[in-house]
Amino acid sequence: MKKISTITLCVVLSLLCFLFIGNTKKVEAMVSNQGYWIDSNPNAPEDYAYSFAVIGDTQNLCRDYGQSGPTNLKYAQQFHGIYDWVLANKDSKKIKHVFGLGDITETHEWNVVDLDEWKLAKEAISKMDGKISYSLVRGNHDMSEYFNQTFNYPAYTNQFGGFFEEGDLTTSYMTMTIGVTDYLFITLNYGPSDEELQWAGEVIEAHETHKVIITTHGYTASNGNPLNSQNSDRYTTPGPVTDIDYETGRSYNDGDGMWEKLISKYGNIMLVMSGHIPCETVLKHEAIGNHDNKVIELLIDPQVMDVDDPTGMVCMLYFNEDGSKMDIEWYSTVKNKYYNSDSQYSVDLSECGSEAHVYDYDYDNNDHWLQCSYCDSYKDIEKHTWKENSSTGKLECVCGNIKKINSNVNSQSGGCIGSITTSILGIIALASAAIFIKKRYK
């Protein structure tokens, strides 16, 4: 028994040592940047038509570390460096648009510290004015009043097609045509209200053949699912974000609400990007919308990478000519290196929809309305099938529309069947007259 017990004990101790050493290595790899940085992207796109730059949470670069003492914007240079890099590479990398994902600043209160952060934000970001298209979203660290005060000037606002509310920049849209692709870019407020989601849906309906890219601050959790109260991550709470919201009592939507009320409903939404949840990689999740279309969801938030050793990360999205493929790069503008080879990858966009609705179902079998095959949406194509009613002498459509034959003013414009019928009646009348004349004077 002693021999068996000794052998068993040795085996158990060996397994424990193996597990301990193995787990220690895994933890070190997860928390350390060492070994994750690579000098070049092994999956670098070689042939692309254009690109977008995406800038996640920059709060720790724009942050005033002076607290209540003297101003200490110690990473201001690295913050500026992100936008300097974008402008320097605008032409060589064919960058057409820059997406911001919120939490531009860190401090919540509007005081001397906050003023310095917002001043730095405007100085760096406004470098892009008139040089490259860009859009921003408000994060939970970016109080809406000051977000609006900082960026409500023509060089920024004139880029957009419209805003949810006049003077409020937090929910907006703009359109852009790149090559053969028409894009619709929508920004959503942090925790958007039902009214904002409804407005965004109406904008999409008005641009039903545009490919839609949505940016908002809080949408995707670290597990890839939409943020909600069941996630272990911080989530968009259904409560006030600014003081004025206590008075308005507006509704809020987390990731689940945005998916159910907006994103899942339209077949031309191809990409949703958000930050808010710290993540060292570019996390991708694929969802299927109500129109059997694929929706790509990206979580891009490098805030923890900028705490002690700033990185100035930019996520680059490269597209082929028809927009059916997207290559992703995760790059540090400070280190001039790429982070984590697993964050440099390609995404197939061929199954993403290009139309809000698929109108291929004849609603009443007479081409009056076409209905979407996946939802209740339908459109009137104003086409009528005319047939003569012998007792009334009118052309009638099965839908109830009437066209009078012997009237200069028609209630509906005539169709091809009405024209043919009129022509036949004329020919019959002429033939009858000819026969009568022939018999009369024979």
Side-chain angles (χ1 to χ4, degrees):
M1 292 294 293
K2 280 187 178 181
K3 185 174 182 180
I4 296 174
S5 299
T6 303
I7 293 173
T8 302
L9 180 61
C10 290
V11 170
V12 170
L13 290 174
S14 297
L15 287 172
L16 288 173
C17 289
F18 174 78
L19 291 172
F20 175 77
I21 293 172
N23 282 334
T24 301
K25 288 182 177 178
K26 288 181 180 179
V27 171
E28 288 177 349
M30 290 174 65
V31 301
S32 173
N33 288 347
Q34 299 299 320
Y36 268 72
W37 294 102
I38 53 179
D39 293 325
S40 61
N41 176 11
N43 303 312
E46 297 179 355
D47 185 19
Y48 60 92
Y50 57 92
S51 69
F52 298 139
V54 187
I55 300 173
D57 302 37
T58 55
Q59 61 203 71
N60 287 319
L61 294 181
C62 193
R63 180 178 180 180
D64 185 349
Y65 289 83
Q67 302 296 325
S68 58
T71 300
N72 182 15
L73 299 168
K74 65 178 180 178
Y75 294 141
Q77 181 179 351
Q78 291 85 348
F79 183 71
H80 273 279
I82 294 175
Y83 302 97
D84 291 337
W85 182 90
V86 168
L87 290 172
N89 289 274
K90 174 176 68 73
D91 296 328
S92 63
K93 292 186 175 292
K94 307 174 186 177
I95 304 174
K96 301 301 182 184
H97 187 78
V98 181
F99 295 98
L101 299 182
D103 274 3
I104 303 168
T105 64
E106 166 65 15
T107 308
H108 292 265
E109 300 299 329
W110 184 255
N111 49 37
V112 175
V113 175
D114 225 37
L115 282 169
D116 288 325
E117 291 184 3
W118 284 105
K119 181 181 178 181
L120 172 60
K122 185 173 183 180
E123 287 176 350
I125 296 172
S126 64
K127 293 177 182 180
M128 298 187 291
D129 289 344
K131 299 174 182 177
I132 189 170
S133 170
Y134 70 98
S135 57
L136 306 170
V137 300
R138 183 183 75 86
N140 55 302
H141 285 261
D142 307 318
M143 305 303 281
S144 59
E145 179 183 353
Y146 318 128
F147 177 85
N148 290 329
Q149 287 182 9
T150 302
F151 296 105
N152 192 3
Y153 61 97
Y156 179 69
T157 58
N158 288 348
Q159 302 177 97
F160 294 86
F163 297 91
F164 170 65
E165 289 182 347
E166 185 177 355
D168 186 351
L169 314 181
T170 56
T171 297
S172 66
Y173 83 89
M174 70 168 65
T175 59
M176 177 179 293
T177 298
I178 306 175
V180 298
T181 305
D182 293 327
Y183 281 107
L184 171 64
F185 302 151
I186 291 181
T187 70
L188 293 178
N189 194 8
Y190 175 71
S193 65
D194 287 346
E195 292 77 15
E196 286 172 301
L197 295 182
Q198 180 181 350
W199 177 86
E202 292 170 355
V203 172
I204 294 174
E205 292 277 9
H207 299 83
E208 60 181 9
T209 59
H210 286 59
K211 291 186 176 182
V212 182
I213 296 178
I214 294 177
T215 51
T216 189
H217 182 59
Y219 175 74
T220 300
S222 60
N223 62 5
N225 294 321
L227 288 166
N228 58 45
S229 59
Q230 304 303 314
N231 296 128
S232 58
D233 298 310
R234 293 170 296 147
Y235 62 95
T236 305
T237 56
V241 176
T242 63
D243 290 341
I244 194 171
D245 294 319
Y246 285 102
E247 300 173 6
T248 63
R250 76 176 181 91
S251 61
Y252 285 80
N253 284 280
D254 56 16
D256 273 350
M258 285 183 266
W259 171 259
E260 294 295 334
K261 299 174 184 179
L262 178 68
I263 297 169
S264 66
K265 293 173 61 176
Y266 300 101
N268 56 340
I269 298 178
M270 57 172 286
L271 179 62
V272 181
M273 296 185 289
S274 62
H276 188 53
I277 305 301
C279 187
E280 292 187 353
T281 63
V282 178
L283 179 67
K284 174 179 71 74
H285 179 258
E286 296 182 359
I288 303 298
N290 295 349
H291 293 72
D292 202 28
N293 58 298
K294 182 191 293 185
V295 181
I296 304 300
E297 301 168 340
L298 297 180
L299 172 59
I300 303 171
D301 180 1
Q303 62 175 283
V304 295
M305 303 174 71
D306 291 324
V307 174
D308 298 316
D309 184 18
T311 58
M313 301 300 293
V314 173
C315 180
M316 291 296 300
L317 309 179
Y318 301 92
F319 294 79
N320 62 352
E321 183 63 35
D322 64 0
S324 62
K325 179 186 177 185
M326 177 176 70
D327 291 295
I328 295 177
E329 284 187 337
W330 191 217
Y331 175 78
S332 168
T333 61
V334 175
K335 299 179 180 295
N336 190 26
K337 293 179 183 290
Y338 300 87
Y339 187 72
N340 192 345
S341 59
D342 291 340
S343 286
Q344 330 294 324
Y345 56 89
S346 297
V347 181
D348 180 12
L349 302 177
S350 61
E351 296 181 18
C352 296
S354 58
E355 296 184 8
H357 299 285
V358 182
Y359 292 114
D360 60 359
Y361 171 65
D362 189 350
Y363 189 75
D364 65 350
N365 296 321
N366 288 284
D367 290 335
H368 298 110
W369 302 277
L370 291 180
Q371 181 173 324
C372 178
S373 293
Y374 296 95
C375 67
D376 294 332
S377 179
Y378 67 90
K379 64 178 180 179
D380 184 359
I381 61 173
E382 298 181 353
K383 182 179 179 181
H384 302 282
T385 303
W386 302 107
K387 184 177 181 181
E388 182 184 359
N389 186 321
S390 58
S391 61
T392 62
K394 299 176 181 178
L395 293 179
E396 298 181 354
C397 182
V398 291
C399 70
N401 281 290
I402 298 174
K403 177 189 176 185
K404 297 179 180 179
I405 296 177
N406 299 317
S407 175
N408 293 325
V409 180
N410 299 325
S411 60
Q412 295 288 336
S413 60
C416 61
I417 295 179
S419 298
I420 292 172
T421 303
T422 304
S423 299
I424 292 173
L425 289 173
I427 292 171
I428 292 174
L430 289 173
S432 299
I435 293 171
F436 172 79
I437 293 171
K438 185 177 181 180
K439 288 182 177 181
R440 178 70 177 81
Y441 296 100
K442 186 175 180 180

